[in-house]
């Protein structure tokens, strides 16, 4: 198990290094002189020279890359060009809101998706199954930002139950924070619930037809023990993978949802960075997104190997 | 004498293959009908996709109004006989704009999925056929690309290229390259060990000939299914990008942008926030159902019992 973890860890670090090279050179690909692009055309040559030296832009590209990486490893992402703030603290202040949003959406997705999938599989080919899968299909096809608009229209504008947009810190006002969170979490979570329920249904169907389930029933175990103790436990493996991989999509979806709800998370920061052509910030935020995704993938793989020993020895 | 008999035998086989071909052609046609009749969901998908394509092509003919024509006297109007989907904040007809929006969505789907297919599939073929170092080199790059959540990577690419509809198509295309590479690689690995590939190799065919003439046709059905399903992802991604204002510039009618423009007025006129979203959802549903259907059609083993 340890060997497997170490091997996957090395692979993950390799991918991360590739990602960082990609992100670094992606921004260098922008046509034009970076300083003029960032600070405008009317720049005195002396200032330009000073900045080139200050940011080390006269060094060879690979040296610039290593310097950049060296600083990032120490937690120094550099400065935002627009706000002059430290990028590390800008990102740091937005991690909690995005984490709360993702966790909330995931909670809704799991609490709706898994029971729906189990019921659909257990009652396969009945009305329950058809209803659950009909909603799952709808949930997959509805764009989450449109769902967000519809939720806003119904619950904020018409019924007035929730605020239209914004964010409250949970440390200041826990109830207010929850009220701000519910609609964005629903908008993100429903689509996810749909794919989780489809995955749970198909793996549960698979498992329920296995011999050991027949054995469990034959030896007189109650349906409750058979379904929840024997079947669901085994069906959870592929479902966990789907959930883990969906976390990445969750981050992508969070970009749009945060922007729509004026929710101060990392996704909104990315949109801010791009609309202001704040390239160092774009670079850092994209790198953070990719790192989180790589880390989630690593955890999913490790948990998978933990549940299914065959994988370790592949 | 012997020669005639031989040629007779030969012509007989030809006739047989000819007849066989005709038979399979008829059979194929009959199977199609039974398949689409038995797979109601796939048929619904086919009908939706066809309808969207027809609407997109015929938009200039069937749209009741000019999608760019403003009418400030009749802004954010509710649905009526004159404007079945209502009008937007500067009085443009929403139905006409939704119809023209179908053109943008389909074009984005077509071009971005095209880019992903043309680059991704050969890469996957090469990786799967070569194995070893070439395989790990290509797939490590693909793993890296797939590390970014799709929208985030598309946004990052658009940050470099600058926001426009054309660049959005390129960005979405690049984002989906790894998916097509993976789709093509897995079956290629299986096919490469089959006897017919070995035979082709033994006959002295070049690598590119073996891969493109012999292996590629055998993984075609899997790629076609992937293309169909990817259309729905590409349409969703473009809608999200244009919703964020990173795709087509105004006044181009795109579904995502219409939703963004409508959200400020949706309390007064819910129709501006409803119909473009409905168009996206239905189109995506169509491509998903069609993709599922095609998978069942090509691979009967996966047909649900």
């Amino acid at each position: 198990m340890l060997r497997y973890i170490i091997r996957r860890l090395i692979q993950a670090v390799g991918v991360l290094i590739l990602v960082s090279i990609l992100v670094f050179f992606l921004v260098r690909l922008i046509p034009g002189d970076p300083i003029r692009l960032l600070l405008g055309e009317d720049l005195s040559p002396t200032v330009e020279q000073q900045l080139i030296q200050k940011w080390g832009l006269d060094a060879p590209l690979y040296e610039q890359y290593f310097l950049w990486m060296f600083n990032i490893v120490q937690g120094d992402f550099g400065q935002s060009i627009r706000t002059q703030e430290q990028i590390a603290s800008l990102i740091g202040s937005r991690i909690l809101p995005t984490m709360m949003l993702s966790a909330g959406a995931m909670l809704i997705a799991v609490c709706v998706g898994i029971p729906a999938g189990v019921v659909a599989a257990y009652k396969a080919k009945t009305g329950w199954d058809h209803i659950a899968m009909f909603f799952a299909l709808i949930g997959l096809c509805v764009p989450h930002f449109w769902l967000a608009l519809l939720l806003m229209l119904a619950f904020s504008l018409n019924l007035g139950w929730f605020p239209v947009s914004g964010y409250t810190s949970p440390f200041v006002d826990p109830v207010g924070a929850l009220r701000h969170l519910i609609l964005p979490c629903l908008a993100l979570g429903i689509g996810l619930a749909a794919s989780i329920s489809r995955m749970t249904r198909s793996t549960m169907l698979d498992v329920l037809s296995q011999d050991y389930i027949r054995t469990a029933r034959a030896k007189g175990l109650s349906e409750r023990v058979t379904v929840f103790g024997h079947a669901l436990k085994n069906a959870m493996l592929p479902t966990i993978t789907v959930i883990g991989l969906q976390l990445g999509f969750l981050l992508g979806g969070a970009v749009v949802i945060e922007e729509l709800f004026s929710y101060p998370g990392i996704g909104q920061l990315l949109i801010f960075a791009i609309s202001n052509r704040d390239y160092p910030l774009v670079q850092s935020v994209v790198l953070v997104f990719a790192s989180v995704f790589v880390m989630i993938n690593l955890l999913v793989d490790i948990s998978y190997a933990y549940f299914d020993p065959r994988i370790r020895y592949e | 004498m012997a020669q005639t008999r031989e040629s007779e035998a030969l012509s007989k086989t030809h006739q047989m293959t000819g007849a066989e071909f005709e038979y399979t052609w008829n059979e194929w046609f009959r199977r199609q009908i039974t398949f689409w009749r038995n797979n109601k969901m796939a048929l619904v998908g086919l009908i939706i996709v066809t309808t969207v394509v027809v609407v997109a092509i015929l938009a200039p003919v069937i749209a009741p109004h000019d999608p760019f024509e403003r009418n400030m006297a009749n802004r954010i109007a509710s649905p009526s006989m004159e404007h079945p989907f209502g009008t937007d904040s500067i009085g443009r007809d929403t139905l006409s704009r939704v119809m023209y929006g179908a053109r943008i969505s389909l074009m984005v789907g077509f071009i971005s999925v095209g880019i992903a297919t043309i680059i991704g599939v050969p890469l996957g073929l090469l990786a799967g056929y070569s194995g070893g170092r070439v395989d790990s080199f290509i797939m490590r790059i693909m793993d890296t690309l797939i590390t970014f959540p799709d929208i985030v990577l598309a946004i990052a690419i658009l940050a470099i290229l600058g926001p426009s509809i054309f660049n959005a198509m390129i960005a979405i295309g690049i984002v989906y390259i790894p998916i097509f590479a993976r789709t093509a690689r897995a079956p290629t690995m299986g096919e490469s060990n089959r006897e017919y590939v070995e035979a082709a190799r033994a006959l002295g065919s070049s690598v590119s000939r073996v891969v493109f003439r012999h292996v590629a046709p055998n993984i075609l059905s899997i790629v076609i299914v992937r293309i169909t399903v990817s259309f729905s992802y590409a349409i969703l991604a473009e809608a999200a990008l244009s919703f964020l204002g990173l795709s087509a510039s105004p006044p181009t009618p795109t579904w995502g942008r219409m939703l963004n423009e409508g959200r400020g007025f949706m309390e007064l006129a819910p129709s501006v926030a409803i119909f473009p979203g409905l168009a996206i959802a239905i189109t995506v549903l169509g491509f998903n159902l069609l993709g599922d259907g095609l998978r069942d059609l090509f691979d009967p083993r996966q047909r649900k019992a």
Side-chain angles (χ1 to χ4, degrees):
Chain A
M1 185 73 195
L2 193 66
R3 266 188 55 179
Y4 176 81
I5 292 178
I6 291 170
R7 210 178 67 216
R8 280 296 288 114
L9 206 65
I10 292 170
Q11 272 176 13
V13 171
V15 169
L16 269 183
I17 290 172
L18 273 176
V19 166
S20 70
I21 292 173
L22 197 70
V23 169
F24 180 81
F25 287 98
L26 220 57
V27 173
R28 292 298 177 284
L29 280 177
I30 298 167
D33 175 13
I35 293 190
R36 292 196 172 273
L37 207 64
L38 298 173
L39 299 177
E41 290 295 328
D42 45 333
L43 198 67
S44 76
T46 38
V47 178
E48 191 181 348
Q49 206 52 45
Q50 275 174 352
L51 283 174
I52 284 179
Q53 264 171 15
K54 185 186 161 199
W55 289 343
L57 292 174
D58 48 353
L61 268 184
Y62 69 91
E63 257 179 52
Q64 290 185 37
Y65 169 75
F66 282 117
L67 184 70
W68 181 65
M69 272 316 284
F70 183 72
N71 288 333
I72 283 182
V73 172
Q74 293 175 320
D76 177 11
F77 285 83
Q79 245 183 3
S80 154
I81 288 164
R82 289 292 150 183
T83 67
Q84 303 301 324
E85 281 173 82
Q86 285 295 315
I87 291 174
S89 71
L90 264 178
I91 292 176
S93 67
R94 285 160 180 268
I95 283 181
L96 181 69
T98 297
M99 270 173 58
M100 291 198 319
L101 176 63
S102 314
M106 192 46 91
L107 191 72
I108 291 171
V110 169
C111 290
V112 175
I114 291 184
V118 171
V119 170
Y122 189 67
K123 306 247 178 208
K125 305 270 155 206
T126 66
W128 292 107
D129 182 21
H130 293 315
I131 290 171
M133 286 308 109
F134 175 74
F135 278 107
L137 191 62
I138 301 287
L140 277 187
C141 298
V142 170
H144 49 271
F145 51 93
W146 184 50
L147 185 64
L149 283 181
L150 296 182
L151 289 171
M152 246 184 201
L153 187 62
F155 296 107
S156 303
L157 297 174
N158 286 338
L159 295 171
W161 291 355
F162 302 106
V164 178
S165 60
Y167 169 76
T168 312
S169 164
F171 303 114
V172 178
D173 175 11
V175 180
L178 199 64
R179 279 164 47 92
H180 274 111
L181 261 177
I182 286 178
L183 290 188
C185 285
L186 272 176
L188 261 182
I190 288 177
L192 219 54
S195 54
I196 290 179
S197 71
R198 277 165 64 115
M199 189 69 204
T200 310
R201 177 183 180 271
S202 71
T203 47
M204 266 305 261
L205 270 181
D206 235 29
V207 171
L208 282 174
S209 66
Q210 298 284 318
D211 285 342
Y212 59 81
I213 296 297
R214 201 185 317 151
T215 311
R217 284 197 175 124
K219 70 180 184 186
L221 287 184
S222 71
E223 276 298 296
R224 199 173 55 86
V225 175
T226 315
V227 173
F228 291 101
H230 292 238
L232 185 60
K233 221 168 150 186
N234 285 293
M236 279 321 291
L237 281 171
T239 312
I240 289 173
T241 318
V242 170
I243 292 173
L245 291 177
Q246 295 287 352
L247 267 169
F249 294 105
L250 205 62
L251 289 174
V255 176
V256 186
I257 293 295
E258 285 176 2
E259 176 68 12
L260 176 53
F261 282 95
S262 314
Y263 187 88
I266 296 180
Q268 203 204 24
L269 188 64
L270 179 64
I271 301 292
F272 169 84
I274 286 190
S275 43
N276 285 294
R277 297 180 145 246
D278 193 335
Y279 294 111
L281 192 56
V282 174
Q283 224 172 16
S284 309
V285 174
V286 171
L287 192 65
V288 167
F289 266 108
S291 312
V292 171
F293 198 42
V294 170
M295 251 146 43
I296 292 169
N297 269 327
L298 182 68
L299 289 179
V300 169
D301 278 3
I302 291 174
S303 72
Y304 210 56
Y306 174 77
F307 286 116
D308 188 350
R310 280 170 303 182
I311 290 167
R312 283 174 236 164
Y313 301 106
E314 229 177 49
Chain B
M1 186 68 182
Q3 217 178 4
T4 356
R5 203 178 288 163
E6 204 171 87
S7 68
E8 238 170 50
L10 207 66
S11 72
K12 213 178 245 173
T13 21
H14 271 298
Q15 274 169 5
M16 249 172 70
T17 42
E20 245 170 31
F21 177 74
E22 220 164 278
Y23 170 72
T24 44
W25 182 248
N26 277 337
E27 173 82 338
W28 180 84
F29 200 71
R30 236 196 350 262
R31 271 194 197 154
Q32 291 295 315
I33 291 176
T34 3
F35 174 81
W36 294 102
R37 197 182 279 159
N38 291 339
N39 287 265
K40 292 271 154 45
M41 297 299 263
L43 188 63
V44 171
L46 186 69
I47 290 170
I48 292 175
V49 170
T50 315
T51 310
V52 175
V53 171
V54 168
V55 166
I57 293 171
L58 295 183
V61 183
I62 54 174
H65 295 271
D66 176 355
F68 303 107
E69 188 191 281
R70 300 161 174 222
N71 179 5
M72 295 309 266
N74 191 25
R75 41 201 296 264
I76 44 176
S78 300
S80 60
M81 284 303 283
E82 175 75 11
H83 301 284
F85 287 4
T87 61
D88 69 3
S89 59
I90 49 175
R92 294 174 298 197
D93 179 52
T94 303
L95 174 61
S96 305
R97 288 180 70 74
V98 166
M99 286 175 161
Y100 273 85
R103 302 185 132 199
I104 305 285
S105 281
L106 288 183
M107 184 176 71
V108 169
F110 201 75
I111 294 183
S112 55
V113 172
I115 292 173
T117 312
I118 287 170
I119 300 178
V121 170
L123 281 176
L125 281 168
L126 190 64
Y129 183 76
S130 317
R133 273 200 200 144
V134 179
D135 181 29
S136 16
F137 178 73
I138 293 175
M139 293 325 283
R140 279 301 88 74
I141 296 176
M142 295 298 121
D143 286 348
T144 312
L145 273 181
I146 228 166
T147 310
F148 302 91
D150 55 356
I151 288 290
V152 174
L153 181 56
I155 290 176
I157 295 170
L158 282 176
I160 294 160
L161 300 176
S164 78
I165 180 86
F166 184 67
N167 292 341
M169 292 190 274
I170 295 178
I172 298 170
I174 294 175
V175 168
Y176 292 134
I177 288 173
I179 299 179
F180 279 87
R182 285 186 174 185
T183 306
R185 177 178 171 262
T188 304
M189 283 168 72
E191 293 293 325
S192 307
N193 297 324
R194 298 275 289 272
E195 276 151 7
Y196 73 89
V197 173
E198 231 162 87
R201 229 179 333 204
L203 284 169
S205 303
S206 66
V207 171
S208 65
R209 192 180 160 80
V210 174
V211 170
F212 288 105
R213 288 293 302 250
H214 298 283
V215 179
N218 284 295
I219 67 162
L220 193 65
S221 59
I222 297 174
V223 173
I224 289 175
V225 171
R226 174 61 72 191
I227 287 175
T228 315
V229 178
S230 295
F231 250 83
S232 64
Y233 294 138
I235 288 170
L236 271 178
E238 194 278 332
L241 290 177
S242 66
F243 183 77
L244 291 171
L246 296 172
S247 180
S249 50
T252 316
T254 72
W255 294 338
R257 173 172 283 282
M258 289 169 74
L259 281 179
N260 194 16
E261 287 168 351
R263 69 170 157 150
F265 306 92
M266 63 182 181
E267 206 175 1
L268 295 165
S271 58
V272 289
I274 290 175
F275 290 111
L278 205 58
I280 302 172
I282 290 175
T283 308
V284 169
L285 177 73
F287 279 106
N288 267 328
L289 291 178
L290 186 63
D292 282 354
L294 289 179
R295 176 162 45 231
D296 293 348
L297 180 65
F298 290 138
D299 188 3
R301 277 167 303 176
Q302 292 203 357
R303 245 171 244 178
K304 280 159 206 144

